Amino acid sequence: MIPAGFSYVRAGSVQEALAELSRHGGAARLLAGGHSLLPAMKLRRAEPGVLVDIGRLRELSYVRLDGDQVAVGALTSHRTLERDPVVAEQVPLLAAAARRIGDPQVRNRGTIGGSLAHADPAADLAAAVLALDGVLVAHGPSGVREIPAGEFFTGPRQSALAADELLTEIRLPAAAGLAHAFEKFSRRALDWAVVGVAVQSRPGGRTAVALIGMGPTPLRAVAVEEALAAGTPAAEARSLAARGCEPPDNAVASSSYRAHLAEVLVGRALAL
Amino acid sequence: MIGSAVPRKEDAALLTGRGTFVDDIHRPGLLHMVYVHSGEAHALITQIDTEAARALPGVVGVWTARDFAELPARPSVPGLERGYLAGDKVHYVGEPVAVVVATDRYLAADAARAVRVEYEPLPVMATVADALAPDAVPIFAPLESNLALEQQVTPHDVADELDASPHRLRARLVNQRCAGAPLEPYGVLADWTGAGPTIWATVQAPHRVRAEIAERFGLARHLVRVIAPDVGGAFGVKSSFMPELFLAPELSRRLGRPVKFVETRGEHMVHTYHGRDQIQEVEVGFDDEGTILALDVTLTVNTGGVPDPVGIALATLTSYMLGGCYRIPKIAARFRSVVTNTTPTASYRGAGRPEASFLIERVVDLVARRLGKDPADVRRVNLVQPGEMPYQTPFEGIVYDEADYPAALDLLLDRLDYAGLREEQERRRADPGAKLLGVGLSTFVEMGGFGPTPLFEQFGYIGGWESANVRLQPDGSAIILVGTAPHGQGHQTALAQIAADELGVPFEAISVLYGDTAVVQEGIGTMGSRGMPVAGNAVRQAAADVAAKARLIAAHMLEAEGDDLVRVEAGFQVKGVPTAEVSLAAVAERSFKPHLLPAGTGLGLECTSYYEPSNLSYPSGAHGCVVEIDRETGHVHVLRYVCVDDCGTVINPMTARGQIHGGVAQGIAQALYEKVSFDADGRPLNASLEDYMLPGMLDLPGYETHHIETKSSFNPLGAKGLGEAGATAAPQAVVNAIVDALAHLGVRDVEMPCTPERVWKAMHHAS
Ligand SMILES: Cc1cc2nc3c(=O)[nH]c(=O)nc-3n(C[C@H](O)[C@H](O)[C@H](O)COP(=O)(O)OP(=O)(O)OC[C@H]3O[C@@H](n4cnc5c(N)ncnc54)[C@H](O)[C@@H]3O)c2cc1C
């Protein structure tokens, strides 16, 4: 509960933050809401030498409708996502997922960029961004690149983001009026998901299904999606929920129970 | 005032963040102590390299076991003396191996990580089964095997009675390990100034702690001052003699500076002792009506790596309470306490009695299920009747005080609408889309009011009494010093209510102080639901004596006889003469004027009383739980939780409810969420609150609380205590409800904690 020593700088702009990251090499970590990084430091699972605080970069906290896309600034808090009218109208799945994160304190501090960059295999927003086919915008020393959500998560708490990159924006195809559902099963009312499911209908009748807690990364339930696309009824497609997944087997839940939960939750989500 | 729900005197400070906890206390020149804990569950220590740690900035020193070799052992089981730090070997993950002292807590924590301990691993035995295996090596050196204690509690067996019973069944029940996890972890601040130390500590029995510290340092007790300031919950886990209670004063003595230790949350989960952890093998004989004829019980307790003197024998209390509130003619009990490579176990809310109540309440349900009878009916045929009180149990010295167990059950069934719930249950079973409904009952009795002295001496206390000093100030207000050391119970409030009635002093004009051995007369402490039944009576007695003296002085002032006076709002009045009146304030002031007192009257209005209870008390009641189970996920939702509690005289219904609610919350937590677990290598699997499932507000139901007030004849107040009742009653109410919901599928037991996965598997395997 007592972190290792570190030094602290507050970045006044994205450029400054990037400069600090470059200067300290791998020793520096960005600090956004601090609700994943600080606990990890206190448990000594992370011992960064330098914290580069981007928490006050107000310019990275926004939600904008940009043509047929919704642009969400990386520092937008979970709480904002819950309440923002553009989110509610255009990408309500994101609000549904945000609403289920931790407790109000966590939702007030935690940011979408931090949640995605932290890449926890059970992060609620990751499921929503995956199901929405979001694109993550990263700024690095050599410029800006866009990473599709499907390529972003590379392992437990590992992402395609380089140590000197900063996530600035998440771009989501607008999905106004399309059916969506977020189902989360957790041990306690305010807790991480054991398993969670995000479902998003697409124009043209396709349906995207994303799972959390079912593998080393948040992932798409490809077998379910294909079955649905082929016209299999939802009640049957749900039985494919765990196909191809290697759900963790640990003190929280066994892999067989997770596989069962995935079926149940996918079934419930598709019934909506 | 007794019986009125006045708000707590404690709350103004606590709720505005103005309490004073150990970590809030600062002393000039303060140093910080941090442990190096073992990361190995069982290993020889081959080397401890402290050089790198000593070289770090701010580090004052690093000490290991050999540096404290001169200090007499901690309070221990005789023959099983335990030191302060691990010496040649470690017995569990979290055992302290070294201490670091630095000028700053963060520097101390860094230095602790720089201490290099080299281990030679030994085979790890993280479970009782492993520790008792034929080839198991002994863990704790003075013992030749891991069986630390084997006790035949009853001299006889019940083989004949079981043979003669029309029916019998066996069960194996598990009462899992739980962590106390109070809001405030363990903390000690020691400042050895002059001839002896002052120690601020999160303890439940300051005078006992003073005695143990004084003994180890060869000091007279007056030179040692122990202060328990505000303590943020204890639940029994702060009654264990942790090494820091002695190391902090010793290091303060050596360094000539104050030394503070405050446990971190993660540390608390492995270092402070756990509770429960009992395997129960039961055989019960019964007849066609469900009347229990004989009970045979073998308890196996996991004492952890270093046996604690309380923990090793807690199953004695479990044994004594095995009969619950039932008339069971023959009970045979034995227990084994087993050393394993895990954190030691000792007291945790209820300490031994919840395990018994869990056992017998599960057994009664199993009997009912076997006979196809309603669990309420089987309870009814077995309950001890009010006319049989006081009731001598099959255990010598265990005599239940007045209670009406059948009335408690009837009230519970009525408030639950039991018949209606049974109908609803049937309806839902027939509807595949509905969640399954279950109702669980728990008619419980436990032990409270610890004392009397012959019993409490066995736990190392000087007595089982409690003390109170009641003193009127010259303006008629009162200060009470009480020997208990509450940590959330609200003694400032409840004891002031008792005194207000006896003294005729307004509640607002009474202050209750405690927790400082330099201020308070010899006292015992707060544990074993003894606050109201023992301390409450001490206050009552002292206040009554002060009131009697006040009456004499008032009579002198009014030139009347004491017997001719009546109590009026402001003070005393001569019976029938409204003009002949004197206020209590005037009487109090007069008590300090020697020349105006009746001849031979001592100065002041003050009395110290020691109240020795004649017996334990036996709080009881009936709890009912209604759960709803998701057929697809196994998730259990507690729909309703109804308590009927009989703690005898209720001093303050609001604080009483608070105690019940908190206890029930911990009981539900045990039933559904909590378990301290280790992997096969003895590594803790949930040593943080991220992984250890403490339920939150939204996981717990609203409580419906009712009282039956059957006064105990064992003490003048008629109080029985209630601090542990909720935690005693609740786990089996929940488990019985879960099993009840699944009974039609053939489920007979679900092990605690009844996680969704366990419940789902039970449903899955049964169907
Ligand atoms: C009690 C509690 C309960 C929680 N429950 C849940 C839950 O139920 N569901 C859930 O999904 N989450 C939960 N969380 C996590 C929460 O959502 C976190 O807020 C989130 O995971 C991290 O966001 P943050 O802004 O706090 O990031 P930080 O903790 O500040 O950072 C996390 C990581 O991301 C990096 N990072 C942050 N911002 C950027 C950026 N813009 N670009 C690149 N890297 C960046 C940091 O360097 C760090 O490595 C919980 C947290 C707590 C403390």
Side-chain angles (χ1 to χ4, degrees), chain A residues 29-39 54 60 74-75 78 100-103 106 109-118 120 122-125 161 165-168 184 190-193:
Chain A
R29 288 282 283 279
L30 294 171
L31 176 70
H35 269 48
S36 286
L37 184 52
L38 296 183
I54 53 171
L60 289 184
L75 271 126
H78 308 333
R100 297 295 307 275
I101 297 173
D103 50 47
V106 174
R109 297 293 309 172
T111 66
I112 184 171
S115 176
L116 297 174
H118 189 60
D120 192 289
D124 298 311
L125 291 178
L161 217 54
E165 280 184 311
L166 187 149
L167 212 50
T168 51
K184 173 175 176 176
L190 305 178
D191 209 342
W192 288 89

Side-chain angles (χ1 to χ4, degrees), chain B residues 32 143 194 320 333 346 536-537 545 575 676 680 694 704 709 725 728 740:
Chain B
H32 297 265
L143 287 164
Y320 289 162
N537 281 291
D545 288 352
K575 209 182 293 171
V676 177
L694 286 183
E704 302 163 47
E709 215 172 301
T728 301
D740 182 64

